[in-house]
């Protein structure tokens, strides 16, 4: 993995917000509802998690193909600029002018030789160095900056960066563990499976606003057993069933996960009875006007048709059939989340393969045949818990541990998320299990 710290940057770990007065049950199977509702908790997350020792997905290396290319993105609520300079290296720094705090760049993507703040025309190079101040010497010997003003001392904060098979991650905390340690080898291997040795091509993008706390979406991503219950399309057209071969990988830290399933042809005949017995939606009366929508090609040398991978706090890599996408989860308010989708093909795809990917892009996204329910279910939870700040969700499916499993009928990866979350937030642990208050 390619990793950089940012030239001359000292440790930038923000002062952690003290959440020790908040009590959390000792068991990972109980999640207090106030964690999705409390404004103080939301504000503390910006410091303890997003400004803390975490790796946050920023953009694709392929989106910075040429020197001068840039991407305006976020870590939590913090605006960030990611650039490629003429030395070929990628840099990232806060998208905030050191003068009066205005955004330096307004466009999401673009190409430039440098950046000039629209407010007072302070100029920055592609590495984030302040290179020019309008009227620095004043006019006719009057006004201007003091002689001791040093431009080098007034540059936006740089980020530590890591490149994982073309995925650019950044951190505002230089004490974050190396990316290999942070992800874990099994997660690295599964990223390599999809992206290793390939040059992505962006096929399209969506931005979706979710009416719920950002952590509810992360729970949903890590919840493997809801997929063939909530999503009628999955079971009706045989894309994902719990009797397929599959499993859950939970990283050693708990924060990162992979859910995967593969074709199990011998079990296909029994699927309908399994779902009928459980009273689960799977209606064979539904048909596709264009059945080629679910046609696929063998891409990875295995029978895995679904792999959902997440990296805490807010990254998802998706393979559903031949639909490859990355998702960026960004908190915007205590009850609002921005979800950015980027759909990928690859430089060596044939025209037929690209057409398959384009058709299958209809499976996912804000109105995707598969994922449309995910855009609503978090809002249902946010509304459902409105009067229940003293109550708890229960995540007992598959036990009480945050460990890998050969079964997808488990909430182990959700428990893993809460394990690293409550450690990062510094909540006290309540030894009185089951207490409601």
């Amino acid at each position: 993995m390619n990793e950089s710290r940012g030239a001359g940057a000292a440790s930038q770990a923000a002062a952690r917000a003290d959440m020790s007065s908040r009590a959390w049950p000792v068991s990972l199977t109980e999640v207090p509802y106030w964690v999705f509702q409390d404004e103080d908790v939301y504000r503390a997350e910006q410091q303890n998690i997003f400004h803390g020792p975490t790796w946050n997905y920023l953009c694709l290396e392929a989106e910075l193909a040429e020197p001068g290319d840039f991407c305006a993105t976020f870590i939590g609520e913090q605006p960030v600029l990611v650039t490629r300079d003429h030395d070929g290296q990628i840099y990232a720094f806060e998208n905030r002018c050191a003068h009066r705090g205005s955004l330096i760049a307004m466009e999401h993507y673009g190409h430039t030789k440098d950046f000039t703040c629209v407010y007072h025309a302070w100029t920055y190079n592609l590495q984030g160095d302040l290179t020019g101040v309008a009227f620095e010497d004043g006019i006719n010997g009057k006004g201007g900056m003091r002689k001791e003003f040093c431009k080098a001392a007034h540059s936006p904060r740089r980020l530590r960066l890591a490149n994982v098979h073309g995925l650019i991650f950044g951190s505002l905390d230089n004490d974050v563990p190396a990316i290999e340690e942070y992800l874990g080898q099994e997660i690295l291997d599964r990223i390599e499976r999809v992206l290793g040795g390939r040059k992505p091509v962006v096929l399209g993008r969506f931005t979706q606003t979710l009416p719920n706390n950002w952590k509810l979406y992360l729970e949903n991503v890590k919840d493997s057993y809801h997929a063939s219950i909530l999503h009628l399309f999955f079971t009706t057209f045989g894309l994902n069933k719990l009797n397929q071969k599959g499993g859950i990988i939970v990283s050693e830290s708990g924060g990162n996960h992979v859910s995967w399933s593969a074709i199990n042809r011998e079990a296909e005949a029994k699927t309908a009875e399994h779902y009928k017995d459980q009273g689960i939606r799977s209606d064979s009366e539904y048909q596709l006007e264009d059945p080629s929508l679910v046609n696929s090609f063998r891409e990875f040398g295995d029978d895995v048709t679904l792999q959902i991978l997440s990296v805490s706090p807010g990254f998802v890599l998706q393979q559903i059939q031949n639909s490859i996408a990355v998702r960026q989860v960004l908190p915007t308010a205590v009850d609002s989340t921005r979800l950015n989708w980027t759909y990928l093909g690859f430089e060596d795809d044939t025209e037929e393969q690209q057409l398959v990917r384009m058709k299958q892009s209809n499976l996912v996204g804000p109105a995707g045949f598969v994922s449309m329910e995910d855009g609503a279910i978090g809002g249902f939870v946010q509304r459902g818990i409105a009067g229940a700040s003293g109550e708890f969700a229960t995540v007992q499916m598959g036990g009480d541990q945050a460990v890998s499993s050969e079964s997808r009928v488990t909430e182990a990866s959700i428990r893993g998320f809460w394990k690293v979350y409550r450690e990062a937030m510094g909540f006290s642990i309540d030894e009185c299990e089951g207490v409601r208050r």
Side-chain angles (χ1 to χ4, degrees):
M1 307 307 109
N2 183 17
E3 191 173 308
S4 62
R5 284 183 174 268
S11 175
Q12 298 290 347
R16 303 291 182 255
D18 185 6
M19 286 278 107
S20 60
S21 62
R22 289 285 189 178
W24 193 290
V26 66
S27 173
L28 294 172
T29 64
E30 289 191 318
V31 180
Y33 286 138
W34 50 254
V35 80
F36 305 112
Q37 303 169 314
D38 191 286
E39 187 68 37
D40 290 340
V41 170
Y42 176 79
R43 295 260 61 90
E45 290 169 351
Q46 299 300 316
Q47 296 300 319
N48 296 2
I49 294 178
F50 296 101
H51 284 244
T54 59
W55 283 106
N56 296 263
Y57 171 74
L58 300 178
C59 64
L60 296 164
E61 182 181 15
E63 294 172 307
L64 307 169
E66 301 295 332
D69 288 350
F70 70 88
C71 171
T73 182
F74 292 84
I75 291 182
E77 293 183 340
Q78 172 64 54
V80 169
L81 274 175
V82 192
T83 69
R84 188 183 291 275
D85 197 5
H86 292 279
D87 62 2
Q89 298 300 307
I90 294 175
Y91 297 87
F93 46 93
E94 293 179 330
N95 186 5
R96 184 180 68 243
C97 182
H99 179 211
R100 300 276 288 279
S102 173
L103 291 172
I104 297 171
M106 304 294 182
E107 299 86 359
H108 292 305
Y109 299 93
H111 182 88
T112 188
K113 64 181 180 64
D114 56 26
F115 299 97
T116 300
C117 177
V118 298
Y119 199 177
H120 298 95
W122 284 34
T123 301
Y124 302 86
N125 65 19
L126 293 168
Q127 296 187 24
D129 301 315
L130 177 63
T131 57
V133 174
F135 303 114
E136 181 177 0
D137 298 325
I139 298 176
N140 298 325
K142 297 180 180 179
M145 305 298 286
R146 296 184 302 171
K147 290 183 178 181
E148 58 267 30
F149 175 75
C150 176
K151 287 194 284 289
H154 292 81
S155 297
R157 176 168 46 156
R158 289 196 179 102
L159 279 64
R160 182 174 174 179
L161 293 179
N163 187 336
V164 183
H165 297 296
L167 304 171
I168 306 301
F169 288 87
S171 181
L172 290 162
D173 189 332
N174 276 341
D175 294 327
V176 65
I179 193 71
E180 295 86 353
E181 178 185 349
Y182 187 87
L183 295 175
Q185 191 59 51
E186 289 183 297
I187 305 300
L188 283 169
D189 289 345
R190 288 292 180 144
I191 294 175
E192 182 177 20
R193 173 185 170 272
V194 177
L195 299 177
R198 314 171 81 186
K199 186 173 181 180
V201 175
V202 175
L203 300 180
R205 300 183 178 94
F206 284 107
T207 295
Q208 180 178 6
T209 298
L210 304 175
N212 52 263
N213 187 272
W214 67 276
K215 299 183 293 297
L216 287 171
Y217 187 77
L218 261 294
E219 274 199 329
N220 178 269
V221 167
K222 293 171 181 286
D223 177 348
S224 55
Y225 92 97
H226 86 274
S228 59
I229 301 173
L230 177 65
H231 302 311
L232 176 63
F233 192 95
F234 259 155
T235 50
T236 299
F237 299 103
L239 300 185
N240 187 333
K241 304 170 187 175
L242 286 175
N243 65 331
Q244 289 178 331
K245 179 182 178 183
I248 299 291
I249 298 169
V250 181
S251 66
E252 185 176 350
S253 70
N256 314 315
H257 105 289
V258 176
S259 172
W260 66 276
S261 64
I263 296 172
N264 185 346
R265 304 184 191 281
E266 294 179 359
E268 288 297 303
K270 300 178 181 179
T271 299
E273 288 303 317
H274 286 165
Y275 279 81
K276 182 178 179 181
D277 291 345
Q278 297 293 321
I280 292 171
R281 301 183 303 158
S282 179
D283 195 336
S284 61
E285 293 181 5
Y286 286 96
Q287 302 294 326
L288 289 171
E289 186 71 24
D290 179 7
S292 70
L293 176 68
V294 293
N295 289 349
S296 60
F297 58 91
R298 188 170 179 137
E299 185 170 3
F300 302 105
D302 55 29
D303 287 328
V304 174
T305 56
L306 182 143
Q307 177 182 291
I308 303 296
L309 180 152
S310 71
V311 176
S312 290
F315 171 74
V316 182
L317 172 62
Q318 155 210 307
Q319 176 225 333
I320 299 176
Q321 302 287 87
N322 301 113
S323 176
I324 312 297
V326 294
R327 311 176 200 169
Q328 182 187 34
V329 184
L330 296 172
T332 53
V334 70
D335 57 357
S336 178
T337 301
R338 181 183 302 133
L339 179 59
N340 294 328
W341 301 75
T342 304
Y343 298 83
L344 303 180
F346 297 92
E347 197 172 60
D348 58 358
D349 283 348
T350 66
E351 289 185 12
E352 292 78 10
Q353 289 172 332
Q354 186 177 90
L355 180 59
V356 169
R357 295 194 200 281
M358 294 296 288
K359 284 187 175 182
Q360 291 185 5
S361 69
N362 291 287
L363 299 176
V364 291
F369 293 134
V370 171
S371 64
M372 68 176 81
E373 295 94 345
D374 290 330
I377 196 65
F380 296 166
V381 175
Q382 194 80 43
R383 289 157 58 189
I385 65 175
S389 61
E391 298 297 323
F392 293 69
T394 181
V395 285
Q396 299 184 49
M397 188 66 72
D400 60 1
Q401 301 300 304
V403 294
S404 299
S405 169
E406 294 182 358
S407 170
R408 288 179 294 142
V409 188
T410 180
E411 292 167 317
S413 50
I414 299 176
R415 291 189 288 270
F417 172 75
W418 291 117
K419 174 185 174 183
V420 298
Y421 174 86
R422 71 183 191 182
E423 289 172 357
M425 290 292 287
F427 296 123
S428 62
I429 303 302
D430 189 346
E431 299 291 340
C432 301
E433 295 215 39
V435 174
R436 297 289 183 266
R437 51 186 173 188

